[in-house]
């Protein structure tokens, strides 16, 4: 990490916009193979820089991936990262501790103006809201999902906030998130800004512009009902259009040349998503649940049209943004991510990586473990234990654990060794939830 004495002048630092879609499947962009609709603005963004074919989320569900982004560490190193996801009722007293150094707090300390727009999902208690983590401004929803029309959650819980206070607002939620992002950019033209843009689209409830509020229901399952491939397509078209509006704003104000724009997802898709040839979906540690589209545009630094096979994971963005922002990492704080700056600037050497995933609560059938080392992946779930060669078999169809027993044992042992350094899983009983 760059020290204070090594910093360039603050004026030389670029603006950074980190865009994370919600539940976007690996094949949900037309640049990644979707044919039922097109996403020209997002495709153009990625084509204008580097496209990653081997990008991963830190978890197959929203809260832990966001913990990884904010802390730069595997989710299971932090108590709130054990929530898969955070429950608005049972966990209403919990949140990401403001005592933890976060991406936003370190960027603010480095002199950036900081804002978060969209989905937070890391706690709604005052000491856990975005403003307690170094964000100068917050507009968005505090929980995991909200009605796109009336902005309420299940049981009518209020979701929409501006800074630390609940607000009322009109308009399709994806549009309003983009509106506030654009307004913030236009108010901050004279100092570097870091924007974390966490669109809730295309996460359920399945609503397109012009729909009415979702029928009231007291369960998450109710929010997941309905929808259609056509509604999903229109949600994606709207998401793409709003990304285009933000890119146009940068062009209008002459900021595009000095603004890094990153695009990715928090996990794989579900229901109406397309995971391409990948097996599984959201809530699974098969590739379809964790492999995601990702790209970055950095004019004048990253060559246009680059395609990278470098494996990357959510925490890498944390390390990279901090390096580019010339932020100081507190002494003793170790990040699990890799700084991608040299790779972005032209070093095309592929560095072998080792990734760890853990998902599912104890006492359920959903407990899953996975470990990737190079091209090899160890996976354990309710269907069995597997070894896959992802380079030769990205669809995870051929289990090689009996043919490559030593490799299987090696990766399983590596998983177990790292898992011992994490917090214990949450144990779920019929009536109570306790730490294991």
């Amino acid at each position: 990490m760059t020290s204070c004495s090594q910093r360039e002048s603050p004026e030389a630092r670029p603006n950074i916009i980190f865009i994370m879609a919600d539940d976007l499947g690996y094949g949900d962009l037309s640049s990644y193979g979707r044919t039922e609709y097109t996403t020209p603005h997002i495709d153009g963004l990625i084509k204008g820089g580097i496209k990653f074919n081997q990008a991963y989320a830190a978890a197959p569900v929203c809260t832990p991936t966001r913990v990884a982004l904010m802390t730069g560490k595997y989710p299971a190193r932090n108590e709130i990262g054990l929530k898969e996801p955070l429950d608005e009722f049972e966990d209403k007293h919990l949140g990401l501790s403001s005592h933890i150094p976060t991406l936003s707090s370190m960027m603010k300390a480095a002199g950036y103006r900081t804002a978060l727009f969209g989905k937070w999902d890391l706690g709604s208690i005052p000491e856990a809201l975005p403003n307690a983590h170094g964000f100068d401004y917050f507009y968005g929803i505090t929980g995991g999902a909200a009605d796109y029309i009336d902005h309420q959650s299940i049981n009518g819980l209020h979701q929409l906030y501006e800074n630390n206070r609940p607000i009322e607002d009109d308009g399709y939620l994806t549009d309003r998130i983009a509106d506030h992002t654009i307004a913030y950019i236009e108010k901050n033209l004279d100092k570097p800004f870091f924007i974390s843009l966490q669109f809730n689209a295309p996460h359920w409830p399945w609503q397109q512009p012009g729909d009415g509020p979702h029928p009231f229901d007291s369960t998450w399952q109710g929010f997941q009902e309905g929808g259609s491939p056509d509604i999903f397509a229109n949600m994606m078209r709207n998401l793409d259009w709003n990304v285009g509006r933000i890119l146009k704003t940068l062009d209008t104000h002459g900021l595009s040349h000095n603004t890094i724009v990153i695009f990715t997802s928090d996990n794989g898709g579900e229901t109406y998503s397309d995971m391409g040839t990948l097996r599984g979906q959201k809530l699974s540690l098969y590739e379809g649940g964790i492999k995601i589209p990702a790209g970055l545009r950095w004019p004048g630094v990253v060559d246009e049209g680059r395609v990278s096979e470098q494996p990357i994971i959510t925490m890498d963005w944390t390390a990279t943004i901090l390096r580019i922002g010339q932020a100081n990492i507190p002494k003793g704080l170790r990040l699990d991510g890799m700084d991608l700056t040299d790779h972005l600037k032209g070093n095309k050497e592929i560095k072998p990586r080792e990734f760890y995933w853990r998902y599912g609560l104890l006492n359920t059938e959903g407990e899953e473990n996975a470990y990737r080392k190079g091209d090899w992946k160890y996976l354990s779930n309710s269907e069995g234990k597997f070894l896959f060669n992802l380079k030769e078999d990205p669809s995870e169809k051929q289990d090689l654990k009996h043919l490559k027993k030593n490799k299987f044992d090696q990766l399983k042992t590596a998983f177990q060794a790292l898992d011992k350094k994490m917090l214990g899983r949450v144990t779920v009983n019929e009536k109570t939830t306790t730490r294991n």
Side-chain angles (χ1 to χ4, degrees):
M1 182 53 57
T2 306
S3 68
C4 286
S5 61
Q6 293 173 310
R7 283 186 181 177
E8 301 172 11
S9 63
E11 292 77 13
R13 293 179 295 168
N15 304 307
I16 303 172
I17 301 178
F18 179 86
I19 305 175
M20 182 179 278
D22 199 353
D23 291 2
L24 191 69
Y26 185 75
D28 277 339
L29 301 177
S30 44
S31 54
Y32 279 81
R34 193 84 193 217
T35 59
E36 293 85 352
Y37 55 81
T38 60
T39 50
H41 299 292
I42 300 173
D43 295 343
L45 162 63
I46 295 173
K47 188 176 181 180
I50 185 169
K51 174 186 178 183
F52 288 95
N53 285 335
Q54 299 289 328
Y56 286 90
V61 68
C62 45
T63 298
T65 293
R66 285 168 169 77
V67 171
L69 174 69
M70 290 295 290
T71 65
K73 297 184 177 186
Y74 282 111
R77 294 193 191 277
N78 191 291
E79 186 171 6
I80 193 176
L82 304 177
K83 299 297 181 177
E84 300 169 331
L86 196 70
D87 187 281
E88 293 175 74
F89 300 102
E90 292 184 4
D91 303 323
K92 60 185 178 182
H93 60 292
L94 299 178
L96 182 64
S97 171
S98 58
H99 299 295
I100 297 172
T102 54
L103 171 60
S104 46
S105 65
M106 287 184 276
M107 290 296 283
K108 180 177 175 64
Y112 273 77
R113 289 176 178 166
T114 55
L116 185 136
F117 300 97
K119 178 172 171 175
W120 176 235
D121 203 23
L122 295 176
S124 58
I125 53 177
E127 58 267 34
L129 286 170
N131 298 94
H133 288 282
F135 283 111
D136 297 319
Y137 183 78
F138 167 55
Y139 172 91
I141 59 174
T142 56
D147 191 295
Y148 286 80
I149 311 304
D150 66 13
H151 314 146
Q152 301 298 308
S153 182
I154 56 175
N155 278 346
L157 285 176
H158 196 94
Q159 281 278 33
L160 192 62
Y161 275 65
E162 183 176 30
N163 295 320
N164 293 326
R165 62 184 183 89
I167 62 168
E168 300 290 341
D169 199 2
D170 295 321
Y172 188 70
L173 189 53
T174 310
D175 295 343
R176 297 301 290 142
I177 291 170
D179 291 343
H180 281 263
T181 303
I182 290 168
Y184 188 85
I185 292 171
E186 292 179 336
K187 291 178 182 177
N188 292 278
L189 303 176
D190 60 342
K191 188 177 182 181
F193 55 75
F194 165 61
I195 292 174
S196 184
L197 179 50
Q198 308 281 324
F199 282 113
N200 60 316
H203 194 291
W204 45 260
W206 316 113
Q207 295 166 297
Q208 59 194 335
D211 282 350
H214 197 278
F216 177 81
D217 192 285
S218 61
T219 66
W220 282 113
Q221 286 72 26
F223 248 32
Q224 297 176 60
E225 293 175 354
S228 68
D230 286 343
I231 291 176
F232 181 85
N234 286 333
M235 293 174 72
M236 284 298 302
R237 292 186 183 102
N238 177 266
L239 171 65
D240 182 73
W241 175 70
N242 277 301
V243 171
R245 292 173 61 209
I246 293 165
L247 297 178
K248 184 177 180 181
T249 301
L250 297 176
D251 289 341
T252 299
H253 295 283
L255 298 177
S256 294
H257 72 285
N258 193 42
T259 301
I260 297 171
V261 185
I262 301 164
F263 183 90
T264 189
S265 179
D266 62 345
N267 46 251
E270 63 167 325
T271 310
Y272 303 110
S273 279
D274 182 355
M275 271 58 75
T277 63
L278 303 181
R279 184 175 179 179
Q281 60 176 33
K282 177 184 176 181
L283 308 182
S284 164
L285 291 183
Y286 283 117
E287 292 287 278
I290 51 177
K291 194 173 184 181
I292 51 176
L296 174 146
R297 188 183 76 179
W298 190 356
V301 177
V302 175
D303 293 336
E304 294 185 14
R306 275 187 63 189
V307 177
S308 174
E309 298 297 333
Q310 172 65 57
I312 65 172
I313 196 167
T314 303
M315 300 84 72
D316 295 348
W317 293 122
T318 312
T320 304
I321 291 169
L322 291 172
R323 164 75 180 280
I324 294 171
Q326 301 173 28
N328 288 322
I329 294 180
K331 185 178 180 180
L333 177 62
R334 297 186 62 181
L335 304 179
D336 288 320
M338 181 179 82
D339 174 15
L340 301 172
T341 307
D342 290 342
H343 184 69
L344 297 174
K345 290 184 175 181
N347 182 352
K348 299 181 181 180
E349 176 187 0
I350 303 300
K351 294 185 178 180
R353 303 294 302 280
E354 296 185 33
F355 296 149
Y356 158 99
W357 294 274
R358 193 181 78 183
Y359 172 71
L361 307 177
L362 289 178
N363 295 354
T364 75
E365 295 183 357
E367 182 181 343
E368 299 191 21
N369 305 318
Y371 196 90
R372 175 172 175 168
K373 182 176 182 179
D375 295 328
W376 294 93
K377 179 181 175 182
Y378 160 77
L379 174 66
S380 172
N381 59 24
S382 61
E383 298 175 346
K385 299 182 186 298
F386 309 93
L387 177 70
F388 300 112
N389 185 311
L390 297 177
K391 183 176 182 179
E392 298 176 359
D393 178 28
S395 300
E396 298 174 299
K397 294 179 179 179
Q398 186 178 8
D399 178 18
L400 300 174
K401 68 175 178 290
H402 297 301
L403 293 175
K404 300 286 185 179
K405 186 178 184 304
N406 288 342
K407 180 65 70 175
F408 174 81
D409 290 342
Q410 180 188 55
L411 267 65
K412 179 180 178 182
T413 300
F415 171 86
Q416 292 171 338
L418 186 53
D419 192 49
K420 289 179 180 178
K421 299 178 181 179
M422 304 295 170
L423 299 177
R425 273 186 166 98
V426 171
T427 301
V428 175
N429 299 315
E430 288 185 2
K431 296 182 180 180
T432 61
T433 301
T434 59
R435 283 292 311 283
N436 181 41

